[in-house]
Amino acid sequence: MNPFDLRGPDFLFLYLGGLAALIVFRYVVVDWLVRAPRDLPRNESTLEELSGPELAYLAGDLRRAVEAAVVGLLHRGWLELRKDKVRGDVSTGRGQVDPISSVVLDAVAGVARSLDELAFELWRRPDALRRLREHGLIRVPTAAHQALAVAPFVAWLLFGAVKVGVGIARDRPVMILMLLVALTIPIARVAARLPASTIRARRWLALRRRRLAGLRATARTAPQQLSGDEHAIAYALFGAGVLAGAGVGLAPLLASRLTAANSSCSTSCGSGSSCSSGSSCGSGSGCGGCSS
C-alpha cells in the first residue's frame, strides 16, 4: 500500500510513531555505539590520577571543568575573586597542577576573567583533555556516527514533506502535518549533538562517588582539612552543595550553581525528613552533600 494514499489521521499516526522510533534509536542504539569503550580498565590506578577538573569535565562540560579548577586554585590561594571574575598573579608558582588548571592559570595571569571566558580558553586548548582521551573516557564522534544520528531524521522529514506536497495537490488540510514536519528540524538538531563522554567515564564517576563518599561531608563541614586538589575533586563529584563552607565568597562567581544546589537540598531534605546517614543528602550536618 502506498503510504501517501493514507488518510490524514492515519498518516499523522504513522509519522508520529516513526518519529518516536527514531528518537529511541538515536538515544539507545546510537548512544551505545558512540559511547564505547564501556568497561573499566583492569588497572584502575591509571584513572585514579585524574584531577578534579578532569572529573568535572566528565560529569558536566567545559564550564564545570573550569569551575572545579577555580575552586581548587582559590583554595590554594593562587587566585583572587573580583566580583564575578577571578584573577591570578603572573608570579604565581605553578607547582604540580593538572592540565586544565594550568590553562586557567595561563588565562588569568594578571587579568580578571569570567568563567565563560575561561571555558572558551579551555575550548581553544583541547590538549588539556588529552589524558581523558588516552584513557578512553571521551572521544570525538566520527562522521559516520554523526550521519547515523542525523540521517534517519532527515529522511523522515523528507518523507513527511512529500506527504505535505501530496496533500496540497489534493486540496487536503495539511497544517498539523506541516507543524510535525517543522518540529522534526529542532529534534534532528538536538540529535546531532552526540555525547563526548563514554560509558567507561560514567561508570568511573559512579565508582569514585561511592569510594569518596566521605569527602562530601568533609568538604562541606571542614574544608580547611582538604587540599586544593581534594576540594576540586569534591566539587567535581558532588557539585556545588559541597561549597557551604566557602559558599559566601564564591556566591558571585557560582550563583546559579549554588542556587540550584540549595534548591535541590531544600526539596530533598526539607519536607519532614532529616539528613541522616544513608539518605540521599549524605551524612554530616544539615543537608550537606546535596549534589548538583
Side-chain angles (χ1 to χ4, degrees):
M1 181 179 179
N2 188 346
F4 299 116
D5 291 332
L6 289 173
R7 295 172 59 250
D10 295 334
F11 190 87
L12 289 176
F13 182 79
L14 172 65
Y15 192 85
L16 280 173
L19 189 59
L22 290 180
I23 292 173
V24 172
F25 173 78
R26 160 62 182 85
Y27 289 100
V28 176
V29 178
V30 177
D31 261 20
W32 187 82
L33 292 173
V34 171
R35 302 188 72 175
R38 304 171 191 87
D39 58 328
L40 292 175
R42 293 184 178 180
N43 184 13
E44 294 181 1
S45 62
T46 60
L47 299 182
E48 291 177 352
E49 67 184 19
L50 295 177
S51 66
E54 289 169 319
L55 292 174
Y57 179 79
L58 297 179
D61 49 24
L62 292 171
R63 167 75 182 238
R64 183 156 176 170
V66 298
E67 287 173 356
V70 166
V71 166
L73 294 172
L74 282 171
H75 191 85
R76 292 185 180 190
W78 290 4
L79 299 180
E80 59 182 16
L81 289 172
R82 295 289 182 88
K83 293 185 179 179
D84 59 345
K85 297 184 177 182
V86 290
R87 184 181 185 277
D89 192 328
V90 293
S91 62
T92 298
R94 297 302 173 88
Q96 294 295 322
V97 296
D98 62 274
I100 295 177
S101 295
S102 181
V103 170
V104 171
L105 287 173
D106 287 341
V108 300
V111 181
R113 293 187 181 273
S114 68
L115 292 178
D116 287 335
E117 290 172 324
L118 293 177
F120 179 72
E121 288 296 321
L122 181 56
W123 175 79
R124 294 177 55 195
R125 296 273 301 275
D127 56 298
L129 305 176
R130 176 180 53 81
R131 290 200 299 187
L132 299 180
R133 288 191 293 271
E134 290 177 347
H135 292 313
L137 299 172
I138 62 173
R139 61 181 300 179
V140 179
T142 65
H145 289 146
Q146 291 283 0
L148 188 62
V150 178
F153 289 95
V154 174
W156 201 243
L157 185 150
L158 294 175
F159 176 65
V162 171
K163 178 60 176 177
V164 169
V166 171
I168 293 175
R170 296 175 180 177
D171 198 22
R172 301 291 176 82
V174 294
M175 182 58 69
I176 296 178
L177 180 57
M178 288 178 64
L179 292 175
L180 289 178
V181 171
L183 180 63
T184 307
I185 297 175
I187 292 176
R189 294 182 64 180
V190 173
R193 301 171 188 168
L194 296 175
S197 62
T198 63
I199 294 177
R200 172 180 290 179
R202 185 175 63 188
R203 290 181 174 175
W204 179 244
L205 285 173
L207 183 62
R208 293 297 279 171
R209 287 186 178 111
R210 290 197 300 270
R211 290 179 176 176
L212 300 177
L215 185 63
R216 182 193 315 196
T218 304
R220 186 174 176 87
T221 60
Q224 69 280 1
Q225 296 181 10
L226 302 179
S227 67
D229 291 336
E230 291 171 329
H231 212 66
I233 290 174
Y235 180 83
L237 296 177
F238 306 112
V242 302
L243 296 180
V248 175
L250 291 172
L253 194 64
L254 302 174
S256 61
R257 299 285 195 194
L258 292 170
T259 299
N262 292 334
S263 174
S264 172
C265 214
S266 61
T267 299
S268 59
C269 307
S271 57
S273 62
S274 61
C275 289
S276 59
S277 177
S279 71
S280 62
C281 299
S283 58
S285 62
C287 292
C290 289
S291 62
S292 63

